[in-house]
Amino acid sequence: MWLEVGFGGGEHLAAQAEAHGEVGLIGCEPFVNGLAGLCALIDDGGLANIRIHDDDARLLMDCLAEASIGRMFLLFPDPWPKTRHHKRRFVNPETLDACARILADGAELRIATDDRSYCRWMLEHLARHEAFAWTARRPADWRERPDDWPPTRYEAKAREQGRPPVFLIYRRAARA
């Protein structure tokens, strides 16, 4: 099973489902427009390996079994740029603990953002968490979207507005 948090219009989730028919995917999105967009893509593509959770992903994560997710996507989450709103950011110690619990050993956590401040925040929080290791070995590893990572409309919008995105891949460390 793979999990995408906040799938937006659903184009990334649908592309992953089409490319990996053997994998079950769960998409979490509370907004109706995103849900409608993904439902259209599912219908158009005849995709049978996607399930939808139409609420906050953290509610679902609380119910998932330990080590049950093989890959997790967090693509262009709301950066909550005001300092007083930082507590709302998805990447925080509590949520990273939940991610570590549900991700299988060796699973990937894939994150994309075009917000430099949130990128620094993510890097700092993930560096402090013992369950995650950043896989980047050279700048291209985070500057270029991997070939198996379908683009999204948020990425296109960021590039059009002169905000180059970063693509972070973390691997879940083996449990002791």
Side-chain angles (χ1 to χ4, degrees), residues 60 88 105 130:
L60 174 66
R88 296 181 182 173
D105 293 357
E130 72 274 353

Side-chain angles (χ1 to χ4, degrees), residues 61-62 66 90-103 125-126 128-132 172 175:
M61 291 167 61
D62 289 343
E66 184 172 331
F90 189 85
V91 175
N92 64 57
E94 295 78 26
T95 306
L96 289 177
D97 286 345
C99 293
R101 186 186 68 75
I102 65 171
L103 286 169
H125 281 77
L126 281 153
R128 286 193 290 250
H129 203 290
E130 72 274 353
F132 298 102
R172 171 59 166 99
R175 289 164 172 78

Side-chain angles (χ1 to χ4, degrees), residues 4-126:
E4 184 165 343
V5 174
F7 58 75
E11 64 274 12
H12 175 270
L13 187 61
Q16 290 288 3
E18 186 173 356
H20 302 280
E22 75 287 358
V23 176
L25 290 107
I26 304 170
C28 301
E29 179 61 58
F31 298 107
V32 173
N33 288 348
L35 297 168
L38 178 61
C39 287
L41 293 170
I42 290 170
D43 190 48
D44 291 347
L47 303 173
N49 57 333
I50 296 177
R51 299 297 178 265
I52 298 172
H53 175 71
D54 63 349
D55 206 337
D56 189 314
R58 290 168 286 213
L59 298 172
L60 174 66
M61 291 167 61
D62 289 343
C63 300
L64 292 173
E66 184 172 331
S68 61
I69 300 297
R71 187 176 287 175
M72 186 172 175
F73 306 95
L74 177 64
L75 309 180
F76 302 95
D78 189 331
W80 295 102
K82 294 180 181 176
T83 302
R84 69 177 185 264
H85 293 155
H86 284 183
K87 63 183 177 267
R88 296 181 182 173
R89 289 179 165 178
F90 189 85
V91 175
N92 64 57
E94 295 78 26
T95 306
L96 289 177
D97 286 345
C99 293
R101 186 186 68 75
I102 65 171
L103 286 169
D105 293 357
E108 289 184 350
L109 172 60
R110 293 185 172 197
I111 304 173
T113 186
D114 62 314
D115 185 279
R116 294 289 178 226
S117 172
Y118 199 10
C119 181
R120 282 190 299 276
W121 171 281
M122 291 173 179
L123 290 168
E124 290 171 9
H125 281 77
L126 281 153

